[in-house]
Amino acid sequence: MDSHTIKYPKYMVYCVFVACLGSFSNGWVIGSPNVPGEVTHNCPNGNARIYNNVFPDCLPMDTALWGFAVASFCVGGLIGGLTGGAIQTKLGRKRAIILNNLGYISGGVLIGCSINEAMFIVGRILCGIACGLGSLSIPTYIGEVSTISARGAMGTCNQFFIVIGILLSSVIGLPLATVPLWRINYAIVAIPAILQFFLMNTCVETPRYLVSVNRIEDARVALQKLRGHANIDAEFYGMVEGYFGTAAAQSLTNYHEKEDETKKETVPKSPIMKQQPAHDVPTDRLSAEETDHLTTSVSQSTPEPFESNSTEENLVPARHDSQETMNIIQIFIDPVIRRIAFTVIFLHAFQQLVGMNAVMYYSTTIFSMAFDEEFSKYMAIVTTVVNFVMTAVSVALIDRMGRRPLLLIANAGACLFSVLLVIGYVFNIPALLVVSVFLYVASFAIGIGPIPWLMTSELTPTYASSSVGSVGTCVNWAMNFLIGQCFPVIFARIAGYSFAIFAAIAAIAFVFTLVFVPETKGKTLEAIVQGFEKHRK
């Protein structure tokens, strides 16, 4: 059986599950202040040490300082995202994920043991750095180890585990929302982090990363382990060809594609660039004759090999400086990668700017209009349950319906239900407000939440994935922080009318997706990148 046709090999699913433990930690950091937040900064005894001689009962903070303390993990996320590209390029995806857990462990313990506001904020920033690095390295890892037919479901598991983390932190936070148990709620994040720190060592590095650092045989071994007993020849050839070009791939893998019409349509191609010299291709396994062939096979073909009808039209030239990854400046110089980078950037910006965090912020006020204060607390957890259920639906549908349809449905839903939130506010209809919150969250969860992270790894070639992913992650966390800081001010001025802004942004996101976002379902990562070659001028 060819590896392109298999879906869920056991070891691959195991590796994805272990990687997603970091996503769970991310979700826990996001959700941990939700329920015990009040007792954390506003308990009756203040910073007195009534229950314990070592730790104060709580850490008194006014509303503004508490808001910054909670949102400070976004600052850490921005730092983690900005540095994450270089880290996962230098260390590899696997070791970046392992290293990432140190932020959760140190940050969680520091918050749990904090005796003043500064320790709490520094702990949140450390956890945020881990969230930022994990937001980049985990989707990249999942995208590079997953099979073609399961890549959507596996990639969506990243968001699914984040939502599980948010949900469980809220549920477990209920009995822990007391003095001094609130400290435990923040420190629990260290448990999945320690677990992943050790379990990740049982997972392989991604084959595409190993190819990018010239560890060709290690890449083959890793891919075979991920695909079980399936034949990996064609898939491995595509990986090597996408990085080094056709001539080098044929020599390095001893595999030659059959010349048929189906293959001609699906063969992945690298950017058409200057043919690299022989020393840029691993030659320790090649004879002199083969090495000579690598440097001359394309140049000795027809003058316009990619426009001719000869059998050499499917040759993919080796990427210039293929052993060097693109930095952040270079991704905006290359026309193809620039197009990919801007697509990723806008997907991440829209994910935050459609206002999910703002709706969640306002949901407490909405629920208090329809229910008493105690019941409103449980309704907030129900909102997280809706997020969880619809993310699970997204996992089930994404490889059936595709990315674009789900994203279009999600943006349309976010636009519609933001408008209904405005109507419910203007005419004071609590029932409409409550229903709109639930349906808005459902719309977000089915597409806007998971798909930008998935498509970041799908759209970007290995040699640019770290820089593009890093920029996209930074934009995501920056917009997250911006919404967290600006929305309360906007809401204080225009109240429920502020959701009209999010409706307009969701409408723009719908048009952007319709015009600029390609479908990636059922395609190899190399073939997806090749689809952008038409933009090379």
Side-chain angles (χ1 to χ4, degrees):
M1 180 184 296
D2 186 81
S3 62
H4 282 126
T5 62
I6 61 174
K7 197 163 189 179
Y8 298 113
K10 294 179 181 178
Y11 183 70
M12 181 205 76
V13 174
Y14 168 78
C15 289
V16 170
F17 172 81
V18 173
C20 284
L21 288 175
S23 305
F24 177 86
S25 298
N26 188 336
W28 192 280
V29 171
I30 294 170
S32 56
N34 289 350
V35 177
E38 184 66 20
V39 73
T40 301
H41 79 283
N42 192 29
C43 66
N45 299 323
N47 58 5
R49 290 170 166 80
I50 304 299
Y51 288 87
N52 189 291
N53 293 328
V54 179
F55 304 114
D57 288 0
C58 68
L59 306 172
M61 295 181 233
D62 59 30
T63 302
L65 182 57
W66 173 247
F68 175 77
V70 172
S72 61
F73 89 106
C74 293
V75 177
L78 185 62
I79 297 170
L82 188 63
T83 59
I87 292 173
Q88 74 167 14
T89 298
K90 180 72 174 177
L91 301 181
R93 285 63 162 133
K94 173 183 169 180
R95 285 192 287 178
I97 293 173
I98 293 173
L99 176 67
N100 186 50
N101 290 292
L102 298 180
Y104 290 124
I105 296 169
S106 59
V109 172
L110 187 61
I111 294 174
C113 298
S114 57
I115 59 175
N116 53 49
E117 299 87 342
M119 288 180 66
F120 185 93
I121 293 172
V122 171
R124 287 288 289 178
I125 291 174
L126 288 174
C127 287
I129 291 173
C131 289
L133 175 56
S135 296
L136 173 61
S137 58
I138 293 172
T140 302
Y141 182 88
I142 294 172
E144 292 183 2
V145 302
S146 298
T147 58
I148 295 173
S149 56
R151 193 174 60 235
M154 294 294 97
T156 309
C157 282
N158 171 59
Q159 183 70 16
F160 187 54
F161 272 71
I162 291 175
V163 173
I164 292 174
I166 296 173
L167 176 60
L168 286 184
S169 69
S170 299
V171 173
I172 295 175
L174 286 172
L176 296 179
T178 60
V179 178
L181 298 182
W182 61 266
R183 296 177 178 275
I184 298 175
N185 191 64
Y186 295 102
I188 284 177
V189 71
I191 296 175
I194 293 171
L195 187 63
Q196 188 186 52
F197 184 87
F198 291 104
L199 288 182
M200 200 66 204
N201 287 287
T202 65
C203 300
V204 295
E205 179 57 87
T206 74
R208 282 182 172 82
Y209 174 76
L210 293 172
V211 167
S212 73
V213 293
N214 286 346
R215 293 168 58 184
I216 305 300
E217 285 306 315
D218 289 342
R220 181 188 289 276
V221 171
L223 183 61
Q224 188 66 72
K225 193 170 183 180
L226 287 165
R227 300 297 182 258
H229 299 293
N231 187 313
I232 64 168
D233 289 345
E235 183 178 5
F236 185 64
Y237 171 84
M239 288 182 185
V240 178
E241 183 189 35
Y243 202 84
F244 290 114
T246 300
Q250 290 176 350
S251 297
L252 291 169
T253 65
N254 296 318
Y255 177 83
H256 297 266
E257 290 188 308
K258 295 180 180 179
E259 292 295 331
D260 57 48
E261 292 302 316
T262 303
K263 279 291 183 184
K264 287 181 181 179
E265 292 177 2
T266 61
V267 62
K269 298 180 181 179
S270 297
I272 302 172
M273 291 183 167
K274 178 182 175 181
Q275 178 69 16
Q276 74 173 57
H279 66 267
D280 279 337
V281 180
T283 57
D284 53 300
R285 298 173 53 232
L286 308 180
S287 65
E289 180 180 352
E290 289 172 325
T291 303
D292 181 68
H293 170 68
L294 292 181
T295 61
T296 60
S297 59
V298 175
S299 61
Q300 291 180 357
S301 61
T302 58
E304 299 290 340
F306 291 94
E307 297 178 2
S308 71
N309 294 321
S310 69
T311 59
E312 292 187 354
E313 68 180 348
N314 286 320
L315 284 180
V316 179
R319 192 175 61 83
H320 180 57
D321 293 331
S322 62
Q323 297 182 51
E324 297 294 329
T325 57
M326 284 185 170
N327 59 37
I328 291 178
I329 295 175
Q330 289 171 326
I331 64 174
F332 292 107
I333 295 176
D334 183 276
V336 171
I337 305 303
R338 181 172 62 240
R339 175 89 175 199
I340 293 172
F342 277 118
T343 302
V344 168
I345 287 169
F346 279 107
L347 284 173
H348 281 283
F350 286 135
Q351 184 193 65
Q352 295 298 329
L353 292 177
V354 294
M356 174 63 168
N357 290 336
V359 171
M360 296 299 287
Y361 171 86
Y362 182 57
S363 64
T364 304
T365 304
I366 292 173
F367 296 142
S368 65
M369 292 172 61
F371 311 103
D372 60 50
E373 184 178 344
E374 184 65 22
F375 195 72
S376 295
K377 183 189 298 184
Y378 292 94
M379 289 302 292
I381 295 177
V382 173
T383 305
T384 308
V385 172
V386 172
N387 195 359
F388 167 80
V389 171
M390 294 310 297
T391 304
V393 171
S394 179
V395 172
L397 293 179
I398 197 163
D399 283 319
R400 292 180 173 88
M401 292 182 62
R403 287 59 157 160
R404 267 171 56 89
L406 284 180
L407 201 52
L408 289 169
I409 291 171
N411 283 313
C415 179
L416 173 63
F417 299 121
S418 292
V419 170
L420 291 180
L421 279 170
V422 176
I423 294 173
Y425 169 78
V426 172
F427 295 99
N428 193 23
I429 310 174
L432 179 60
L433 288 169
V434 171
V435 170
S436 296
V437 167
F438 286 142
L439 292 178
Y440 173 91
V441 170
S443 298
F444 180 90
I446 203 169
I448 303 172
I451 290 177
W453 298 111
L454 166 64
M455 296 197 76
T456 299
S457 62
E458 287 189 320
L459 295 175
T460 317
T462 306
Y463 53 84
S465 61
S466 291
S467 294
V468 173
S470 183
V471 171
T473 302
C474 284
V475 168
N476 193 292
W477 284 99
M479 294 300 103
N480 189 337
F481 184 76
L482 180 68
I483 291 295
Q485 296 301 304
C486 293
F487 177 74
V489 177
I490 296 173
F491 187 77
R493 293 291 184 89
I494 60 176
Y497 290 103
S498 56
F499 292 105
I501 299 173
F502 301 131
I505 293 173
I508 295 171
F510 179 91
V511 175
F512 176 82
T513 301
L514 190 65
V515 176
F516 295 107
V517 178
E519 181 56 72
T520 58
K521 169 190 168 187
K523 298 178 182 179
T524 66
L525 300 184
E526 291 76 20
I528 293 168
V529 175
Q530 178 59 26
F532 282 88
E533 282 294 335
K534 62 186 178 183
H535 302 294
R536 187 180 295 279
K537 301 296 183 182

